[in-house]
Amino acid sequence: MKLKKINEKLQKALIEIGLTEANVLQQETFSTLKSGADCIIIAPKGAGKSTTIVINVVQQLVAEGEESPRALIIVEDKTKVLEMETLFENLGSETNLRVYGVHDKGDLEYDKNYISTGIDVLIGTPNRLNEMFTTAGYNVNRLKMFIIDDADTILKLRHDTKIIRISNSIAKTQRIIFSEQLTERIEVLADKIMVEPFLFEIEEEEDDFEEE
């Protein structure tokens, strides 16, 4: 995949699963995301937003690190948690990244105990992550990326307060919002948690986008 200064291990994994060309979304956002700046990324369904998230997390974290998570990804539901975990299995196959997903139907105590053993990437639903962060007191000082996927859908379900609460527990990190639409709720949330975010609005092209 032709992206500037892409990690070799990530590049190898992408080639192995047949992703040899970066799409418009990945080309336009890669350098800015790599810089660590806050970003709001608006793109239609099927534009490859989830793949873009995983590519950029693997790029920034590269290899196994500290005991505490270095990337936190908020997704809508259990299905999205499992989909994101599978993407990491594929795109992070050449790294030692430890990825773990939590959702509302999981065992809270098991999740907390597992995370305490050390992970790099934590994926979860707003409800479960809010429960965990308010009761377990995780060390988030090493967190490099705070990402919300499908933000428009998540905010329609009125998870704004939970997301702000989680974000407020993290002092300094890169915050990234992915959404199909730039809604008033997203603008309000961005004002509360982000610092001068870059805005990307990717238009749908005639060519078919890759799958989410």
Side-chain angles (χ1 to χ4, degrees):
M1 187 176 278
K2 295 177 181 177
L3 292 169
K4 191 174 181 180
K5 295 183 179 178
I6 188 170
N7 179 266
E8 289 181 7
K9 291 182 178 180
L10 173 58
Q11 178 81 288
K12 184 179 178 182
L14 288 166
I15 292 170
E16 284 178 356
I17 64 170
L19 285 178
T20 56
E21 295 294 328
N23 68 13
V24 174
L25 173 60
Q26 288 142 15
Q27 289 172 352
E28 293 196 13
T29 61
F30 187 71
S31 293
T32 306
L33 288 171
K34 190 152 61 88
S35 76
D38 286 358
C39 294
I40 301 170
I41 298 170
I42 310 300
K45 184 176 178 62
K49 293 188 289 295
S50 297
T51 303
T52 301
I53 288 171
V54 177
I55 286 173
N56 282 277
V57 171
V58 174
Q59 170 71 27
Q60 291 211 37
L61 304 193
V62 181
E64 188 173 338
E66 297 83 9
E67 289 296 305
S68 52
R70 289 179 293 148
L72 177 65
I73 305 171
I74 300 176
V75 298
E76 179 186 352
D77 54 23
K78 178 182 176 180
T79 300
K80 292 293 288 187
V81 170
L82 298 177
E83 288 175 0
M84 192 74 74
E85 283 184 306
T86 301
L87 271 174
F88 271 103
E89 285 176 16
N90 293 331
L91 301 185
S93 60
E94 298 295 321
T95 75
N96 295 319
L97 287 178
R98 301 158 299 173
V99 179
Y100 189 68
V102 299
H103 51 78
D104 302 11
K105 296 178 181 178
D107 184 319
L108 179 59
E109 289 306 313
Y110 178 87
D111 288 341
K112 289 195 288 189
N113 291 334
Y114 188 94
I115 291 166
S116 68
T117 66
I119 62 169
D120 297 294
V121 181
L122 177 59
I123 307 162
T125 56
N127 284 331
R128 179 45 53 94
L129 290 172
N130 184 59
E131 283 181 297
M132 296 179 73
F133 274 76
T134 54
T135 61
Y138 293 108
N139 175 14
V140 290
N141 294 329
R142 305 299 295 175
L143 200 70
K144 293 182 67 176
M145 305 176 81
F146 176 91
I147 302 168
I148 307 169
D149 193 17
D150 295 321
D152 46 348
T153 303
I154 288 173
L155 295 181
K156 279 180 185 175
L157 299 172
R158 302 188 180 276
H159 290 308
D160 318 48
T161 303
K162 297 183 185 75
I163 290 171
I164 292 169
R165 187 180 299 128
I166 295 168
S167 178
N168 287 344
S169 69
I170 305 161
K172 185 179 180 182
T173 189
Q174 179 184 24
R175 292 172 170 85
I176 308 164
I177 292 175
F178 284 82
S179 176
E180 288 185 27
Q181 298 177 330
L182 182 60
T183 64
E184 184 178 349
R185 279 180 175 272
I186 288 175
E187 291 178 341
V188 170
L189 178 66
D191 284 342
K192 291 182 177 179
I193 71 172
M194 303 178 102
V195 179
E196 298 181 356
F198 286 86
L199 175 63
F200 292 89
E201 294 188 84
I202 309 298
E203 300 294 331
E204 190 164 3
E205 294 190 336
E206 291 182 9
D207 294 332
D208 289 336
F209 278 116
E210 67 182 81
E211 292 298 318
E212 278 290 299

